[in-house]
Amino acid sequence: MIAVPKHDYDVVVVGAGPAGASAARAASRAGSSVLMVDAHRKPGVPVQCAEYVPLMVKKYVPLAPGAVIQKIDSMLTFINDKLASTLAGPGYMLNRAVFDRGLAEGAQQAGAELWSETRAVAKTDQGLMVRRNGNEEAEIRCKIIIGADGPRSTVGNWMNSKNTKYMVGLQYNLPLSRYQTSTDIYFKPEYDGGYAWVFPKGPRANVGVGISLLHKDELPFLIKEFARSLVKQGKLANTVPAVKTGGLIPTGGPLDRTQEGNMILAGDAGGHTHPVTGGGIMNAIVTGQLAGELAARAAEKNDLSLLADYPRQWQSFLGRFLNRATRQRKDLDANWTSDAEQFENLIKRTWISFN
């Protein structure tokens, strides 16, 4: 019988995206021994988001060279093809692969270790079991586990605290006809529970559609029709994508339970994504940092009861904002309609440009 190797850390972070890397960096800087495990070969790959972040991101994390593709100055919102709002929205369009790699490297420079192509497979009395490179198992003994492993979190499953409501997005990278500095949002009744977008990245753009998971089979048709309409309007040069990406976006709001025993959930795993916009990078960074700092304190004092303060901490930063958005999402889902006037009123009372 082959012995399973054992490893010891104060904190194990499952997931090396913005939430996980931020948690690992914070815990390492506070003096904890930290292991990050991530199922992918490289952090941030494959890209599964529209890649926009607000300007304030640079107050929380360093931006790696090459992470920023261009600056954004505004958001345009269209309802039934008519411009309904122009909102100042300073921010950046990212190369998420470079951005995420920079965050993971920052965590490693702070002292965290990273195991790529590694999945958390079981919780144990002393920590967790992982599977590396598809087959090699290892036992990780640790004091605290931070679940930063996305919308369908393994750690969340261990806590029986899971996201249940989702949008699903499909995105093409397409050539723009002209340079733009706005992110453009399009609402139509056929984008059930979601919207379409054009997020510029220099000469190209992320062009996508997100809708309720219940209607996921309609996505390929909807995005092709959307891209064709943008060509007709002169916004896109053609509809031939360089890259296609997609993924799930939690829309149910923050989970009721984001801490249990020695486990904490951060970012998408904790439902910290904005329920209406689907934006989650900044919230992931903030909740990840809070989780990492608190985990380090609890590990140092060998007192897991300190982790119970985590829900209060993230709620003090994000609770009012996310709770309001959760109510707006419920309104959106309950009252989605094809009636033009009612639809316009619905978007204007639920979308961020009109609040």
Side-chain angles (χ1 to χ4, degrees):
M1 182 175 178
I2 300 174
V4 175
K6 295 178 173 63
H7 306 266
D8 292 273
Y9 297 87
D10 292 325
V11 180
V12 173
V13 181
V14 182
S22 298
R25 180 171 178 261
S28 295
R29 291 179 74 178
S32 287
S33 60
V34 179
L35 172 66
M36 283 187 294
V37 301
D38 194 86
H40 299 109
R41 189 166 65 89
K42 295 180 180 179
V45 180
V47 173
Q48 293 182 307
C49 84
E51 301 182 282
Y52 167 84
V53 289
L55 204 63
M56 73 176 70
V57 70
K58 63 184 179 182
K59 295 182 180 180
Y60 288 86
V61 294
L63 298 173
V68 174
I69 300 294
Q70 73 166 79
K71 289 186 176 181
I72 295 296
D73 57 27
S74 61
M75 174 190 290
L76 308 185
T77 301
F78 297 82
I79 303 176
N80 289 325
D81 293 323
K82 294 180 180 179
L83 180 61
S85 169
T86 300
L87 180 72
Y92 302 114
M93 282 300 298
L94 299 174
N95 179 324
R96 267 297 297 275
V98 174
F99 178 75
D100 282 23
R101 185 173 70 241
L103 294 183
E105 288 174 353
Q108 290 172 284
Q109 289 165 5
E113 189 174 345
L114 172 62
W115 290 5
S116 299
E117 296 182 281
T118 302
R119 293 183 178 275
V121 294
K123 187 168 187 315
T124 68
D125 290 340
Q126 294 183 308
L128 68 162
M129 297 292 295
V130 301
R131 184 173 293 122
R132 304 185 71 180
N133 305 314
N135 53 24
E136 176 192 343
E137 287 199 344
E139 181 181 347
I140 313 297
R141 292 179 296 211
C142 64
K143 297 176 181 177
I144 295 154
I145 300 169
I146 297 176
D149 47 340
R152 288 181 167 167
S153 166
T154 296
V155 181
N157 283 338
W158 295 343
M159 292 172 54
N160 196 28
S161 182
K162 300 178 285 187
N163 293 296
T164 58
K165 295 181 180 180
Y166 300 94
M167 281 199 300
V168 59
L170 180 59
Q171 180 171 267
Y172 291 174
N173 184 265
L174 296 169
L176 286 166
S177 295
R178 57 185 178 272
Y179 186 80
Q180 70 177 66
T181 58
S182 65
T183 54
D184 298 350
I185 304 295
Y186 296 80
F187 286 98
K188 289 185 177 181
E190 53 260 44
Y191 306 144
D192 199 317
Y195 58 90
W197 63 86
V198 178
F199 281 23
K201 296 179 69 177
R204 305 184 68 86
N206 288 335
V207 177
V209 177
I211 57 175
S212 166
L213 183 59
L214 299 173
H215 304 282
K216 63 180 181 179
D217 293 341
E218 300 172 22
L219 266 181
F221 170 78
L222 290 173
I223 194 170
K224 288 175 183 176
E225 287 298 300
F226 179 51
R228 290 189 190 108
S229 73
L230 294 171
V231 170
K232 289 180 181 179
Q233 295 171 36
K235 289 190 175 183
L236 293 181
N238 61 58
T239 62
V240 182
V243 179
K244 298 180 182 179
T245 59
L248 290 176
I249 306 159
T251 59
L255 299 181
D256 291 336
R257 191 166 62 258
T258 54
Q259 181 274 327
E260 181 177 274
N262 71 335
M263 295 178 289
I264 294 175
L265 299 177
D268 286 8
H272 294 123
T273 313
H274 192 286
V276 178
T277 70
I281 297 175
M282 273 302 309
N283 295 354
I285 291 168
V286 170
T287 55
Q289 286 188 358
L290 291 173
E293 290 167 359
L294 190 58
R297 196 176 311 131
E300 180 186 11
K301 296 183 179 299
N302 202 28
D303 184 357
L304 293 181
S305 70
L306 296 175
L307 300 180
D309 197 42
Y310 173 68
R312 183 200 63 78
Q313 289 190 4
W314 72 252
Q315 285 167 6
S316 72
F317 276 84
L318 300 171
R320 184 178 179 185
F321 169 69
L322 288 179
N323 290 337
R324 182 185 187 197
T326 302
R327 294 192 297 271
Q328 290 170 322
R329 164 52 66 179
K330 290 177 180 178
D331 185 8
L332 202 67
D333 289 342
N335 295 293
W336 199 269
T337 176
S338 58
D339 179 274
E341 183 177 355
Q342 291 180 17
F343 182 73
E344 181 175 352
N345 289 335
L346 176 65
I347 301 307
K348 286 184 175 180
R349 69 174 182 261
T350 55
W351 183 246
I352 57 174
S353 294
F354 305 100
N355 292 335

